[in-house]
Amino acid sequence: MEFFQKDIETMPRRAIEALQLERLKAIVNYAYDNVPFYKRKLDAVGVKPSHIRTLKDVRLLPLTTKDDFRDNYPYGLFARPMRDIVRVHASSGTTGKPVVVGYTKNDLDVWSDIVARFIVASGGRSDDIVQNAFGYGLFTGALGLHMGWEKVGATVVPISSGNTERQIMLMQDLGVTALVATPSYGLYIGETMARMGVDPSALKLRLGFFGAEASTKETHEQLAKLLHITTNDNYGLTEVMGPGVAGECALKTGMHIAEDHFLAEIVDPDTFEPLPEGETGELVLTTLTKEGVPVLRYRTKDLTRIIKQPCPCGRTMARMEKVVGRTDDMLIIRGVNVFPSQIESVLMEMDEVANSYEIVVDRIGHMDSLEVLIEITDGKLLLDYGELESLREKIRARLRQVLQLDVKVKLVEPMSLKRFEGKAKRVRDLRKKD
């Protein structure tokens, strides 16, 4: 029998909400008692755990933001001592400090379950051979999908990203049937196959699980065509768990939210007031069972809408539509979160560069690229190739350290970049809208 938690995934709506209320009351108590940050926040607004009597009462709780993770770096939001934490993951923060989260053994069991759910719902099987081309490390994506596929009982090839021709060779030689990757890398693999003369229809590849960066329906259609596969879209974020918060079934009617572990709200991103069911707004998530780092009302800054009607596949958990945008200026480049403020913080450390810079985002082939144009303070430096190259490499190295991403750096003459009387527009995003 393939992995399918039928009793949970097909619960009636009333039973789902009863379970959510029971777990919401418990997690608010737990966070209040074990995370000083939450005790201070709730006390400041006069809210006690006993005030949570219905699901709507979640609105009494203050919102949690990425800045709260940054301000409590590294372990300030942990509810358990480190002896109970069996894994730490991290993602980029707005100032170069990562967002650090921890998981208990039970957290990892839950995580692998919810990832396995969307894998199986989308057609994954225990006899699949899975090539995981996500970058392994502190990023939650690779190990999250890895654990989920192992829960399903599949064979995982933890190849990580890069070395594309070798990726394709192993797909052929190992009989790979499923690929895990960012959408842009999946497209690049497809292009490389064509360049190598490899016919994807001759491979055993049948499924693609793509995440870690925004992608459109058209991108998935292109992936399906290039690689001769059925694609899956899924959603997650480090702050509340990682991948597995939601994922598509084979019918592609939206991403099923793991509502037994997350309470999802849609709010107006300006007023934070709840929006009527079916309207598009900002997704706010509360973890209902997370032990290591419980999170109350996290502002994802992702814009989407939620559908609560049961899916034709038989699963009754609410579905979220594909994210249509964000409420902040975060860029997602090849699966890495990049904030313009991170780049600015690096440049402002250096005396050799001026205050003016421009960030140019483009898509070359199917791979996102990031270039930073930076004014130097002394135009004479442009005449000294050695000094110029040394400065450029210094900036590149520092940006890679902060962003965990290779960035193109172009040094330009003083006063050559556009000035702004009002708010400066530092980012030019040249990627075509699909």
Side-chain angles (χ1 to χ4, degrees):
M1 177 66 182
E2 298 290 352
F3 185 92
F4 178 36
Q5 295 178 318
K6 184 177 180 180
D7 290 346
I8 298 171
E9 296 183 66
T10 62
M11 290 174 73
R13 167 74 15 207
R14 183 173 295 181
I16 292 171
E17 293 179 353
L19 177 62
Q20 286 185 314
L21 178 57
E22 175 189 334
R23 290 182 169 180
L24 177 63
K25 291 177 178 179
I27 204 69
V28 173
N29 267 293
Y30 178 73
Y32 188 84
D33 290 342
N34 293 282
V35 185
F37 165 81
Y38 278 121
K39 185 177 189 305
R40 290 193 303 270
K41 286 202 81 164
L42 268 65
D43 286 347
V45 296
V47 174
K48 300 294 183 186
S50 59
H51 292 157
I52 305 300
R53 300 184 182 95
T54 70
L55 282 181
K56 288 184 179 180
D57 291 336
V58 71
R59 300 165 194 167
L60 301 174
L61 303 173
L63 293 157
T64 304
T65 67
K66 187 181 287 287
D67 282 345
D68 293 325
F69 279 86
R70 181 197 67 189
D71 294 342
N72 288 277
Y73 173 87
Y75 300 137
L77 296 184
F78 283 39
R80 298 287 278 270
M82 291 307 291
R83 65 176 175 270
D84 294 338
I85 300 296
V86 298
R87 172 125 30 105
V88 167
H89 278 284
S91 70
S92 176
T94 57
T95 61
K97 287 287 189 183
V99 167
V100 176
V101 292
Y103 302 78
T104 65
K105 176 64 169 63
N106 185 66
D107 289 337
L108 293 187
D109 289 342
V110 167
W111 192 9
S112 59
D113 279 357
I114 61 178
V115 174
R117 282 184 196 172
F118 78 72
I119 287 172
V120 170
S122 192
R125 304 189 301 250
S126 58
D127 59 356
D128 275 311
I129 299 173
V130 187
Q131 190 153 316
N132 192 344
F134 270 152
Y136 278 74
L138 290 174
F139 167 54
T140 57
L143 284 168
L145 268 292
H146 185 123
M147 292 188 304
W149 274 107
E150 286 188 338
K151 176 72 67 135
V152 171
T155 303
V156 181
V157 182
I159 193 169
S160 198
S161 56
N163 203 339
T164 307
E165 292 190 3
R166 183 168 181 262
Q167 298 255 7
I168 294 166
M169 178 192 77
L170 289 177
M171 279 183 196
Q172 295 171 303
D173 296 348
L174 301 181
V176 169
T177 59
L179 172 67
V180 174
T182 62
S184 57
Y185 192 52
L187 291 168
Y188 184 69
I189 289 173
E191 284 188 333
T192 306
M193 279 186 186
R195 192 168 63 247
M196 293 170 62
V198 174
D199 179 4
S201 65
L203 303 178
K204 293 184 178 180
L205 197 63
R206 66 184 190 88
L207 294 173
F209 289 77
F210 300 101
E213 64 187 23
S215 58
T216 63
K217 176 174 174 281
E218 289 76 16
T219 296
H220 278 250
E221 289 171 352
Q222 194 168 7
L223 282 162
K225 183 178 178 181
L226 262 180
L227 297 171
H228 288 234
I229 55 173
T230 299
T231 68
N232 167 277
D233 199 6
N234 53 84
Y235 177 83
L237 60 167
T238 301
E239 290 82 0
V240 300
M241 182 65 86
V245 173
E248 282 185 324
C249 68
L251 299 182
K252 294 183 174 294
T253 58
M255 292 178 278
H256 293 268
I257 301 169
E259 287 193 282
D260 50 333
H261 298 292
F262 306 100
L263 179 62
E265 306 169 68
I266 297 293
V267 303
D268 183 300
D270 296 318
T271 67
F272 309 126
E273 290 297 315
L275 291 174
E277 185 176 328
E279 286 199 17
T280 298
E282 181 176 344
L283 178 66
V284 171
L285 292 170
T286 296
T287 64
L288 297 176
T289 58
K290 194 138 181 273
E291 296 176 342
V293 183
V295 182
L296 306 181
R297 301 197 75 206
Y298 182 72
R299 283 194 64 193
T300 67
K301 299 195 175 182
D302 288 322
L303 298 172
T304 183
R305 74 184 190 102
I306 290 177
I307 307 156
K308 289 191 175 178
Q309 290 81 9
C311 178
C313 76
R315 291 171 177 83
T316 53
M317 298 287 183
R319 288 161 285 148
M320 61 177 279
E321 290 192 341
K322 185 183 289 291
V323 172
V324 295
R326 287 186 58 82
T327 64
D328 64 7
D329 61 352
M330 187 180 82
L331 302 167
I332 301 179
I333 309 295
R334 300 194 296 277
V336 178
N337 297 346
V338 176
F339 292 84
S341 56
Q342 290 175 286
I343 294 171
E344 180 167 309
S345 68
V346 169
L347 302 183
M348 293 308 105
E349 294 173 352
M350 299 182 177
D351 294 333
E352 302 95 330
V353 302
N355 293 329
S356 291
Y357 63 93
E358 185 177 33
I359 299 165
V360 181
V361 185
D362 204 351
R363 182 166 287 136
I364 299 172
H366 294 295
M367 296 292 284
D368 290 339
S369 69
L370 184 65
E371 182 178 38
V372 186
L373 280 61
I374 308 161
E375 284 187 4
I376 55 176
T377 53
D378 184 359
K380 294 178 182 177
L381 190 63
L382 293 170
L383 303 176
D384 189 330
Y385 179 81
E387 287 292 322
L388 195 68
E389 189 64 13
S390 176
L391 176 59
R392 193 176 70 83
E393 286 303 316
K394 174 183 171 183
I395 295 171
R396 280 192 67 208
R398 179 66 180 132
L399 286 173
R400 177 168 180 76
Q401 183 182 18
V402 170
L403 304 178
Q404 297 298 299
L405 187 75
D406 278 321
V407 176
K408 297 177 184 176
V409 171
K410 183 178 181 180
L411 301 176
V412 300
E413 292 180 356
M415 302 302 295
S416 62
L417 295 178
K418 185 177 178 180
R419 264 49 179 178
F420 299 90
E421 293 181 1
K423 185 177 179 182
K425 296 178 181 178
R426 301 290 193 192
V427 179
R428 268 199 301 148
D429 195 338
L430 304 178
R431 293 175 291 190
K432 293 181 179 177
K433 305 299 181 186
D434 290 325

